[in-house]
Amino acid sequence: MRRSHARSRVKSSSSSKSDMDPVKFQIRSGNRASSSSLYTLTKSNSKHAKSTSLLLTVFSIAVVLGFLFVCYSILFSGGNRKGSLRYSVVIDGGSTGTRIHVFGYRIESGKPVFEFRGGNYASLKLHSGLSAYSDDPDGASLSLTELVEFAKGKIPKGMWKETEVRLMATAGMRLLELSVQEKILQVTRRVLKSSGFMFRDEWASVISGSDEGVYAWVVANFALGSLGGDPLKTTGIVELGGASAQVTFVSSEPMPPEFSRTISFGNVSYNLYSHSFLHFGQNAAHEKLWGSLVSKDQNSAVESTRQGIFTDPCAPKGYNLDTNTQKQHLSGFLAEESRFSASLQAGGNYSECRSAALTILQEGNEKCSYQHCSIGSTFTPKLQGRFLATENFFYTSKFFGLGEKSWLSHMISAGERFCGEDWSKLRVKDPSLDEEDLLRYCFSSAYIVSLLHDTLGVPLDDDERVRFANQAGDNIPLDWALGAFILQTAAEISQLTGGSSNLHWFYALFGNDSNTLRYLIGIPILITVLVYLVSKWRKPQLKTIYDLEKGRYIVTRIR
């Protein structure tokens, strides 16, 4: 009985212990594996929670880094990492030839970086101009195709589809009827669409003379480092092309709206006077002179010496001025309107040539409806600041070997010698020059002096006021096509960044010349890996058992 009661107490005590300590109970009853399983299950749940937390952390970091990478890809798409180039092509459809320009540039810190030298710039010019194909528009495709092939040779094939190509025709095309212009443009569009470059129909057009002047002003001031700075410290441009002349500069005078242009570069706005004087280019003005000589126009620039006989003062003595030769030089409406019944003779008189040039420049001056007109009946404000004289100003000055000092006054003496020289001697001195080109230098020297000094009021000995040039700054060509490229590219980049500095901080941090993005991606990944490795090394796996003999728990390290 006592033993039975004792067993009952043991059972009761055991039952009580079972309620208080289930682990000890299971070990006592010999279910060690069960105890171990119970403990291991508890630790596994804890480890699983920690692993899940670590995975969520790594996943969150990956999502953030992925977002940053997407932003970077959007803003800097097109293989625009530092060391790589973007490309652009501009085709200048001039009056005497068609020139293609291939530009390479970078975008750094949200701003375009231009370098017009080395592998970043190339150009090629072919004769004749697009306007020469007025009777055969399809003929324009041959020279244009050759120019496109030249550009392809300068741009990596993988970049063709990302490279914009634009064609801008100028004064030669502006002289044609709109229907003829459109036929020639359709041919150019067909060629450019199949070029492999990025192209839209509206990217082939005839630009205004005002645009041409503005673009020339932009590249000049970019080259001189004044673009984006004080408007009063900028430099004006006077261009003398073949069919037109352009005058563009910052003016403080009130201007009629049709002559005023406002452009922005960076955070600076410029109010410009810009106008293109169509028919007042060097070749067009010379043709006007010839047309007046052989016509019966009573207002002609040069009067006849006697009935039916006219003298061309701008032709060197000894030059054979027969009417058939003159008819070949005349173009378009001038050839149609002229009556070739007169006899011509070469005068070789510089002073009279200069007077004839002034008559051409002042034609229509009496019809001026503005406060001041210098050329024809067109408003022209007083010139302000310094100027660069480009194109035929430069070519004529270099032909005569003029230096920059007092070049305008020296142009007079050089012109007097050339015009008064016998034609046969001039041919011997310059046998390589085309006859028509050589003939023009007498008129050109007189026309330049008449335009700048007699018409626009530039002093003859003011070396600082006007300089002739075809390059400026770091030997950057003063070609209006470069200005068009600069202005359009800057506008596109500005539009990409929201037209303001709102995203400039992003470019400063993540731009091509910054390592910030690499740090933001690399450092978190490195830290995450290190934390994971350290945690695995510093926190070994443990197992807890109950020692029945010693009556306590024992923690042991598995590995």
Side-chain angles (χ1 to χ4, degrees):
M1 291 294 293
R2 288 180 180 174
R3 289 179 179 176
S4 178
H5 183 66
R7 288 194 188 98
S8 178
R9 281 187 301 176
V10 169
K11 287 182 180 179
S12 177
S13 175
S14 297
S15 177
S16 177
K17 284 285 185 180
S18 173
D19 292 338
M20 294 178 61
D21 194 346
V23 175
K24 185 184 290 187
F25 170 77
Q26 291 172 7
I27 293 174
R28 261 186 97 178
S29 62
N31 295 330
R32 297 179 183 272
S34 182
S35 172
S36 175
S37 298
L38 179 62
Y39 181 79
T40 301
L41 179 62
T42 304
K43 294 295 287 182
S44 296
N45 288 336
S46 176
K47 287 168 61 180
H48 178 70
K50 290 182 179 179
S51 298
T52 302
S53 176
L54 182 61
L55 288 174
L56 287 175
T57 302
V58 173
F59 179 75
S60 300
I61 293 174
V63 169
V64 172
L65 296 179
F67 175 75
L68 290 175
F69 180 76
V70 169
C71 292
Y72 182 84
S73 300
I74 292 175
L75 289 173
F76 299 99
S77 59
N80 193 42
R81 293 172 295 276
K82 187 170 183 179
S84 64
L85 291 172
R86 286 188 175 189
Y87 293 91
S88 186
V89 176
V90 175
I91 302 174
D92 169 9
S95 58
T96 60
T98 305
R99 183 185 293 274
I100 193 166
H101 302 265
V102 182
F103 304 104
Y105 68 101
R106 296 181 176 87
I107 299 177
E108 298 180 5
S109 300
K111 297 179 181 179
V113 177
F114 308 113
E115 294 180 5
F116 299 107
R117 61 172 180 266
N120 294 342
Y121 175 68
S123 68
L124 175 67
K125 182 176 182 178
L126 296 179
H127 299 282
S128 299
L130 294 176
S131 57
Y133 300 99
S134 57
D135 296 329
D136 179 26
D138 288 333
S141 64
L142 295 177
S143 60
L144 192 59
T145 300
E146 183 177 347
L147 292 173
V148 167
E149 291 303 316
F150 170 81
K152 286 183 175 180
K154 302 296 180 180
I155 301 173
K157 188 173 183 179
M159 299 291 292
W160 290 356
K161 291 183 179 180
E162 302 173 8
T163 300
E164 296 180 359
V165 57
R166 299 173 185 265
L167 183 144
M168 304 179 189
T170 57
M173 287 281 281
R174 291 197 293 268
L175 290 171
L176 302 178
E177 295 181 359
L178 291 178
S179 59
V180 179
Q181 291 181 21
E182 190 57 30
K183 288 180 181 178
I184 296 175
L185 288 177
Q186 287 296 346
V187 173
T188 65
R189 287 167 183 152
R190 187 170 65 245
V191 173
L192 297 179
K193 279 182 180 178
S194 60
S195 67
F197 295 128
M198 184 189 301
F199 175 74
R200 300 174 187 168
D201 283 350
E202 60 269 25
W203 290 353
S205 63
V206 179
I207 65 173
S208 69
S210 178
D211 286 340
E212 188 177 347
V214 168
Y215 295 150
W217 181 90
V218 167
V219 69
N221 284 279
F222 173 83
L224 296 172
S226 52
L227 187 63
D230 186 351
L232 298 179
K233 295 182 180 179
T234 57
T235 299
I237 280 288
V238 185
E239 299 174 281
L240 183 58
S244 64
Q246 283 75 235
V247 179
T248 306
F249 63 99
V250 172
S251 176
S252 57
E253 285 188 35
M255 288 181 284
E258 61 267 30
F259 299 100
S260 178
R261 293 289 300 273
T262 300
I263 66 167
S264 296
F265 191 88
N267 298 320
V268 183
S269 293
Y270 300 92
N271 296 317
L272 301 174
Y273 167 84
S274 182
H275 187 72
S276 178
F277 298 88
L278 195 59
H279 303 304
F280 288 96
Q282 176 181 277
N283 297 353
H286 199 185
E287 290 179 359
K288 274 189 176 184
L289 173 65
W290 277 334
S292 69
L293 288 174
V294 298
S295 71
K296 291 184 179 180
D297 183 5
Q298 295 180 352
N299 295 320
S300 63
V302 179
E303 297 297 332
S304 62
T305 56
R306 60 181 182 271
Q307 187 65 31
I309 300 177
F310 288 83
T311 300
D312 181 0
C314 301
K317 293 178 180 180
Y319 182 77
N320 184 19
L321 279 166
D322 62 89
T323 54
N324 289 329
T325 301
Q326 296 303 313
K327 188 172 183 178
Q328 292 174 4
H329 293 323
L330 294 170
S331 63
F333 68 95
L334 289 175
E336 294 298 326
E337 293 183 354
S338 299
R339 302 177 183 179
F340 295 89
S341 59
S343 297
L344 299 171
Q345 65 183 25
N349 189 311
Y350 180 84
S351 296
E352 291 184 6
C353 182
R354 179 175 167 184
S355 297
L358 182 60
T359 300
I360 293 172
L361 288 164
Q362 292 182 340
E363 183 180 348
N365 201 252
E366 69 281 358
K367 300 177 182 179
C368 177
S369 58
Y370 303 101
Q371 184 178 359
H372 180 67
C373 297
S374 296
I375 302 175
S377 57
T378 303
F379 170 76
T380 315
K382 183 179 179 181
L383 300 187
Q384 295 179 218
R386 298 179 179 180
F387 285 79
L388 290 178
T390 65
E391 297 191 29
N392 284 311
F393 291 116
F394 173 81
Y395 301 131
T396 302
S397 300
K398 297 305 289 184
F399 172 80
F400 288 120
L402 304 182
E404 292 186 359
K405 185 174 179 60
S406 303
W407 71 275
L408 199 53
S409 62
H410 290 162
M411 180 75 74
I412 297 175
S413 56
E416 289 174 342
R417 288 192 300 269
F418 184 89
C419 295
E421 185 71 88
D422 187 85
W423 176 251
S424 60
K425 294 181 179 180
L426 293 175
R427 289 299 295 160
V428 172
K429 290 180 180 179
D430 295 285
S432 61
L433 275 181
D434 180 79
E435 181 177 301
E436 183 178 348
D437 292 336
L438 183 61
L439 178 65
R440 288 193 191 277
Y441 281 114
C442 177
F443 174 78
S444 179
S445 61
Y447 191 66
I448 286 173
V449 174
S450 185
L451 175 59
L452 293 180
H453 177 66
D454 302 334
T455 304
L456 296 177
V458 177
L460 291 176
D461 295 318
D462 191 345
D463 301 331
E464 297 297 323
R465 188 67 182 277
V466 178
R467 295 187 297 111
F468 66 85
N470 73 334
Q471 294 181 337
D474 191 13
N475 296 324
I476 296 176
L478 295 177
D479 193 310
W480 66 261
L482 277 68
F485 163 69
I486 291 171
L487 207 57
Q488 291 174 354
T489 303
E492 289 177 0
I493 300 303
S494 177
Q495 186 177 8
L496 178 65
T497 59
S500 66
S501 59
N502 291 341
L503 290 180
H504 287 180
W505 64 269
F506 192 90
Y507 279 95
L509 289 176
F510 307 121
N512 298 327
D513 54 351
S514 172
N515 291 318
T516 307
L517 187 65
R518 300 189 191 106
Y519 295 150
L520 285 178
I521 293 176
I523 292 176
I525 291 177
L526 181 62
I527 292 176
T528 302
V529 171
L530 289 176
V531 169
Y532 178 75
L533 292 176
V534 169
S535 65
K536 293 286 289 182
W537 178 68
R538 294 291 300 274
K539 292 185 178 180
Q541 295 185 14
L542 304 177
K543 181 174 67 175
T544 303
I545 60 175
Y546 185 78
D547 189 330
L548 187 60
E549 294 179 357
K550 295 181 180 180
R552 62 178 181 178
Y553 291 100
I554 299 175
V555 178
T556 62
R557 179 173 177 170
I558 297 177
R559 61 178 180 179

